């Protein structure tokens, strides 16, 4: 057991003063190096190694050094990798075979080489070497006392009767090593030494007992030559392989396969362990930081999943690089990460700031520079919860608030919880509204401005809540999109609107009806079949249906959107681009996809009389669309002057409050009936087609 670094929970304890830690380390070092020096001076070197034991000694020395540099890897319950050196049995065998000095020098050499290979801090290396030396010296003293052999002088090869004494000495060696290292960890971290000793007790005790037995046998068969010792390599190799396989399986169960970070179950383990430690000493924390990458789906879907995976891997590396040494970084799934922080709310918020700052520099992937940003939610015990579930819930609420309010970092506040509960309750009510008749459609007419006739309507969903009254669409539609409820909601709109179109057609009104689709529908390759079934059920021709999608929806998953839209157009359904100009406007998809209609966003149309730039944008868009043989619908017409301006720009279809408010079907029936009556009296056609 070596001193590799501070205990992961050190931030939640009260460590001993640095002077006490230093005094302890100095005492161990003085004891170890003084013991080595004494052995070097007092040993009769002319009899240090028995002539017949030279090659067995060389083998044991080499095996001890290899076992120290290449230890067995174990996985602790927290998901941390721990190592168990296999040098102990060979060092132990050297005590009777080659004498205590050779055993001590071998362990010192092995320790120094191991520290050099792993680039440990020189101060830790000095301590490790000293405590190993003390441990081997203790083993030698115990063996000499129990077996009746001389501590110094010519080696006395072990006999079968000496094996129990050697095993007892080995246990003392392992125990001394364990206690010395646990002492410095306890002083540094503030943990009781008993708790430190209990860490990994079962695994370490079992493996060390097996290895010490190998050491006893090695000491007994050394007199038979190197060949007999080589046979003992098999159990050690088997122990390595068994432990490696177990560590691999344990690692897979506790770590994310893509990034190598610890997973959700290990996050709960870390939080529970830190919360338990708060009962030992009074302290604030632990803190929890949840991170979610902004617009990751756009990267993943547009550039492909391999690029998305590489983004996650590089983000994970950056998070680990900037997280405090005492913190643990986890991937919870998708593009969500978590960091358990051993500290207060202030500490957790500082960590969140550092983590987000680590993403300010673009990622380099396949020759691309991608700027990936994130939002963070922060919660900490005890102010935001006294158990891991509460911390997770409240950090998640804070993250939701950060994304909702466009803050980069949000710390949990009780008022967030109220807001979130309200949203969840509204979502639950929306599920019930689908079955209880609370939802209905209204229809806003679309007028051909040059002729003044109705050529279409847009179907808009409304929700009249029994307690809240009319719930705005911009309140419940985003909830439906994020929860997956958008699919049954759109199915309801399609069913109701096409049933109404069938009634209008039966009454002699033949015009198009427009229905909005969300981005999630453009990834649903079952949508075309669903639309075809509804059209067939109501006997409505596909040409009567216009499906409106936004630019952002198309560009979020272009490949799948292309497949779905082409299948819909193959049915004869028209496709319209809604809110054109507000998203990532691109002429490339107008050329690639077969679009039938552009709807110019109201933010441009409503202001063309006052803003010359808006007029230029609208005029250019109309000219482009007509040149591409597309229909043009201008939304947001609020006055007669806008109608006159648009009428002079070409064949434009208008929609807005000035031309007609969204009304229920019965009111639109009255309007259509009046139009037909007026035209009949004037001798004109009676349809709006």
């Amino acid at each position: 057991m070596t001193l590799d670094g501070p205990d992961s929970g050190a931030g939640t304890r009260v460590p001993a003063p640095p002077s006490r830690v230093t005094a302890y380390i100095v005492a161990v070092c003085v004891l170890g190096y003084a013991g080595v020096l004494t052995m070097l001076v007092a040993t009769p070197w002319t009899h240090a190694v028995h002539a017949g034991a030279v090659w067995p000694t060389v083998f044991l020395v080499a095996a001890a050094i290899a076992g120290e540099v290449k230890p067995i890897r174990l996985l602790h319950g927290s998901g941390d990798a721990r190592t168990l050196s296999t040098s102990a049995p060979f060092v132990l065998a050297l005590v009777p075979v080659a004498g205590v000095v050779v055993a001590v020098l071998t362990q010192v050499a092995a320790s120094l080489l191991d520290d050099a290979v792993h680039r440990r801090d020189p101060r830790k290396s000095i301590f490790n070497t000293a405590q190993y030396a003390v441990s081997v010296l203790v083993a030698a003293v115990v063996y000499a006392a129990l077996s009746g052999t001389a501590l110094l002088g010519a080696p006395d090869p072990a006999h079968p009767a000496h094996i129990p004494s050697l095993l007892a000495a080995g246990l003392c060696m392992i125990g001394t090593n364990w206690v010395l290292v646990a002492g410095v960890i306890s002083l540094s971290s503030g943990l009781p030494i008993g708790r430190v000793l209990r860490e990994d007790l079962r695994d370490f005790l079992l493996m060390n007992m097996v290895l010490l037995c190998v050491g006893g046998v090695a000491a007994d068969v050394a007199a038979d030559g190197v060949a007999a010792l080589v046979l003992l390599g098999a159990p050690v190799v088997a122990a390595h392989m068994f432990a490696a396989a177990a560590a691999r399986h344990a690692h897979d169960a506790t770590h994310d396969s893509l990034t190598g970070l610890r997973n959700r179950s290990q996050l709960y383990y870390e939080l529970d362990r830190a919360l338990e430690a708060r009962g030992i000493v009074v302290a604030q924390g632990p803190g929890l930081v949840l991170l979610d990458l902004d617009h990751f789906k756009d990267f993943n879907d547009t550039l492909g999943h391999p690029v998305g995976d590489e983004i996650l891997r590089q983000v994970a590396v950056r998070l680990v690089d900037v997280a405090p040494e005492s913190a643990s970084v986890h991937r919870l799934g998708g593009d969500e990460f978590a960091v358990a922080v051993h500290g207060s709310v202030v500490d957790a918020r500082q960590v969140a700031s550092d983590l987000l700052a680590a993403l300010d520099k673009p990622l380099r992937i396949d020759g691309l520079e991608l700027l990936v940003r994130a939002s963070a939610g922060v919660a900490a015990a005890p102010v935001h919860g006294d158990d891991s579930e509460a911390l997770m819930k409240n950090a998640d609420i804070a993250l939701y608030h950060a994304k909702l309010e466009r803050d980069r970092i949000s710390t949990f506040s009780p008022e967030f919880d109220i807001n979130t509960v309200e949203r969840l309750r509204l979502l639950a009510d929306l599920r019930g509204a689908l079955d209880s008749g609370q939802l209905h459609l209204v229809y806003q007419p679309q007028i051909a401005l040059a002729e003044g006739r109705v050529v279409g309507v847009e179907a808009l969903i409304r929700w009249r809540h029994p307690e809240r009254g009319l719930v705005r669409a911009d309140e419940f539609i985003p909830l439906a999109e994020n929860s997956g409820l958008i699919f049954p909601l759109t199915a309801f709109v399609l069913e109701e609107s096409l049933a109404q179109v069938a009634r209008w057609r039966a009454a002699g009104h033949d015009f198009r009806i427009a229905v909005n689709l969300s981005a999630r529908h453009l990834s649903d390759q079952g949508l075309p079949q669903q639309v075809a079934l509804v059209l067939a059920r109501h006997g409505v021709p596909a040409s009567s249906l216009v499906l409106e999608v936004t630019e952002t929806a198309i560009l979020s998953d272009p490949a799948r959107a292309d497949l779905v839209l082409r299948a819909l157009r193959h049915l004869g359904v028209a496709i319209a681009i809604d809110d054109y100009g507000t998203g990532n406007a691109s002429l490339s998809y107008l050329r690639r996809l077969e679009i039938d209609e552009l709807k110019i966003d109201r933010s441009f149309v409503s202001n063309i009389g006052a803003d010359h730039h808006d007029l230029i944008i609208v005029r250019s868009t109309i000219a482009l669309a007509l040149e591409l043989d597309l229909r043009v619908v201008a939304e947001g017409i609020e006055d007669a002057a806008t109608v006159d301006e648009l009428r002079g720009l070409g064949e434009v279809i208008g929609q807005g409050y000035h031309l007609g408010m969204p009304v229920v079907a019965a009111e639109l029936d009255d309007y259509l009936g009046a139009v037909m009556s007026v035209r009949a009296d004037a001798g004109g056609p009676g349809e709006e087609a």
Side-chain angles (χ1 to χ4, degrees):
M1 187 175 181
T2 58
L3 183 62
D4 282 322
D7 178 76
S8 62
T12 61
R13 285 74 171 183
V14 179
S19 58
R20 286 185 58 191
V21 179
T22 302
Y24 177 87
I25 292 174
V26 169
V28 172
C29 289
V30 169
L31 186 61
Y33 291 112
V36 172
L37 184 60
T38 300
M39 292 294 104
L40 288 173
V41 172
T43 297
W45 287 97
T46 55
H47 303 291
V49 179
H50 190 276
V54 172
W55 287 112
T57 298
V58 170
F59 177 88
L60 292 172
V61 169
I65 293 175
E68 188 70 30
V69 175
K70 189 67 175 176
I72 292 176
R73 183 170 176 269
L74 301 173
L75 206 69
H76 184 253
S78 66
D80 292 326
R82 304 293 177 88
T83 57
L84 175 63
S85 168
T86 58
S87 64
F90 304 109
V91 171
L92 183 64
L94 282 169
V95 172
V97 172
V100 61
V101 173
V102 174
V104 170
L105 292 179
T106 298
Q107 182 62 76
V108 168
S111 177
L112 290 173
L113 182 58
D114 178 52
D115 290 338
V117 168
H118 293 93
R119 298 182 180 179
R120 292 193 178 96
D121 187 298
R123 291 170 297 180
K124 292 179 181 178
S125 181
I126 291 171
F127 175 82
N128 287 337
T129 302
Q131 60 89 10
Y132 270 135
V134 171
S135 301
V136 178
L137 288 172
V138 168
V141 170
V142 171
Y143 175 70
L146 294 179
S147 65
T149 58
L151 177 61
L152 300 175
D156 185 7
H159 304 289
H162 294 161
I163 299 302
S165 300
L166 192 61
L167 292 179
L171 286 175
C172 291
M173 180 176 70
I174 297 299
T176 302
N177 164 245
W178 210 336
V179 171
L180 290 176
V181 175
V184 73
I185 291 176
S186 175
L187 290 172
S188 301
S189 67
L191 276 171
I193 191 168
R195 178 172 178 153
V196 177
L197 289 171
R198 286 196 302 271
E199 294 282 342
D200 306 325
L201 178 61
R202 185 187 64 184
D203 291 337
F204 269 74
L205 187 59
L206 177 63
M207 293 298 294
N208 275 304
M209 286 301 296
V210 172
L211 293 173
L212 290 178
C213 289
V214 172
V217 175
D220 185 46
V221 302
D224 297 326
V226 174
L229 289 173
V230 170
L231 295 176
L232 290 177
V236 178
V237 172
H240 264 284
M241 295 177 64
F242 175 79
R248 231 179 3 256
H249 292 309
H251 185 277
D252 292 344
T254 56
H255 287 70
D256 170 54
S257 59
L258 178 65
T259 63
L261 298 179
R262 283 174 275 196
N263 60 17
R264 183 183 294 269
S265 67
Q266 290 305 298
L267 175 61
Y268 279 102
Y269 179 93
E270 285 288 335
L271 292 175
D272 289 340
R273 189 171 68 164
L275 287 164
E276 178 188 350
R278 291 185 66 246
I280 300 174
V281 293
V282 178
Q284 289 200 349
L288 176 62
V289 181
L290 292 185
L291 290 96
D292 187 86
L293 303 185
D294 298 334
H295 309 297
F296 175 72
K297 185 177 185 301
D298 294 341
F299 289 112
N300 203 36
D301 293 342
T302 304
L303 301 176
H305 293 290
V307 172
D309 289 347
E310 183 60 25
I311 288 174
L312 295 174
R313 280 190 286 265
Q314 290 196 26
V315 166
V317 170
R318 292 196 183 184
L319 297 183
V320 171
D321 286 345
V322 301
E325 188 177 358
S326 62
S328 59
V329 185
H330 307 254
R331 182 187 174 211
L332 304 185
D335 61 339
E336 192 173 9
F337 297 84
V339 180
V341 180
H342 293 280
S344 65
V345 175
V346 175
D347 298 323
R349 190 170 177 90
Q350 181 59 53
V351 169
S353 178
D354 294 341
L355 295 172
L356 296 190
L359 300 178
D360 286 344
K361 186 178 178 181
L363 306 178
R364 286 187 168 275
I365 301 174
D366 292 341
L368 299 174
E369 284 196 350
L370 304 176
L371 185 59
V372 179
R373 310 302 290 270
S375 301
V378 176
V383 290
H384 301 143
D386 282 323
D387 59 68
S388 55
E389 290 288 350
L391 287 177
M392 281 290 291
K393 170 179 172 288
N394 291 335
D396 195 38
I397 289 171
L399 175 61
Y400 179 85
H401 185 268
K403 296 184 81 69
L404 188 68
E405 301 298 327
R406 303 293 182 184
D407 294 332
R408 296 199 67 196
I409 303 174
S410 182
T411 302
F412 175 75
S413 174
E415 66 222 33
F416 298 169
D417 199 13
I418 295 172
N419 184 47
T420 302
V421 169
E422 283 296 306
R423 289 173 179 272
L424 293 175
R425 185 177 294 119
L426 189 65
L427 182 60
D429 290 347
L430 181 57
R431 294 182 189 277
L434 281 165
D435 302 319
S436 59
Q438 297 174 26
L439 301 173
H440 66 278
L441 299 185
V442 294
Y443 305 90
Q444 186 170 28
Q446 297 176 335
I447 310 294
L449 299 183
E451 306 164 25
R453 65 188 181 94
V454 178
V455 294
V457 294
E458 181 176 2
L460 303 167
I461 192 168
R462 295 291 183 264
W463 179 15
R464 187 166 296 281
H465 194 282
E467 297 174 3
R468 301 170 183 263
L470 191 64
V471 182
R472 298 196 315 271
D474 59 4
E475 285 186 67
F476 69 86
I477 293 297
L479 286 177
E481 289 180 335
N482 291 332
S483 67
L485 205 59
I486 193 66
F487 293 104
L489 207 62
T490 302
F492 168 82
V493 174
L494 283 171
E495 194 72 38
E496 290 294 312
S497 61
L498 291 179
Q500 183 58 50
V501 168
R503 289 191 286 271
W504 279 327
R505 287 175 60 81
H509 307 303
D510 186 10
F511 45 73
R512 297 179 294 273
I513 189 165
V515 172
N516 289 281
L517 295 179
S518 78
R520 300 186 69 170
H521 287 100
L522 297 187
S523 296
D524 180 12
Q525 297 189 35
L527 178 66
Q529 183 180 10
Q530 178 188 355
V531 170
L533 291 174
V534 180
L535 288 169
R537 183 158 50 247
H538 296 291
V540 175
S543 58
S544 295
L545 177 62
V546 180
L547 294 175
E548 297 184 357
V549 295
T550 63
E551 299 169 283
T552 304
I554 292 176
L555 296 177
S556 67
D557 193 348
R560 292 185 184 176
D562 194 0
L563 291 174
V564 172
L565 293 179
R566 287 183 186 278
L568 289 168
R569 289 200 84 258
H570 184 71
L571 293 175
V573 173
I575 304 299
I577 302 297
D578 196 13
D579 300 336
Y580 183 76
T582 61
N584 301 307
S586 171
L587 299 180
S588 64
Y589 70 76
L590 293 181
R591 180 187 62 188
R592 187 181 71 253
L593 299 175
E594 298 180 14
I595 304 301
D596 300 280
E597 180 178 296
L598 283 187
K599 295 191 74 174
I600 306 174
D601 186 69
R602 66 183 66 250
S603 61
F604 300 110
V605 174
S606 62
N607 208 32
I608 60 175
D611 191 317
H612 185 63
H613 291 92
D614 282 350
L615 176 60
I616 292 174
I617 291 171
V618 170
R619 183 169 60 205
S620 301
T621 302
I622 291 173
L624 172 65
L626 294 177
E627 189 67 26
L628 293 173
D629 199 24
L630 303 177
R631 286 194 304 269
V632 182
V633 177
E635 297 183 286
I637 298 177
E638 309 294 341
D639 52 48
T642 303
V643 173
D644 293 338
E645 192 75 54
L646 290 170
R647 190 179 285 128
L649 299 180
E651 296 183 16
V652 178
I653 298 168
Q655 182 177 341
Y657 284 177
H658 177 71
L659 300 175
M661 301 280 288
V663 294
V664 296
E667 291 185 43
L668 191 57
D669 287 342
D670 293 340
Y671 170 77
L672 294 173
V675 169
M676 291 186 67
S677 177
V678 169
R679 290 189 174 179
D681 291 342
E687 294 185 354
E688 292 78 24

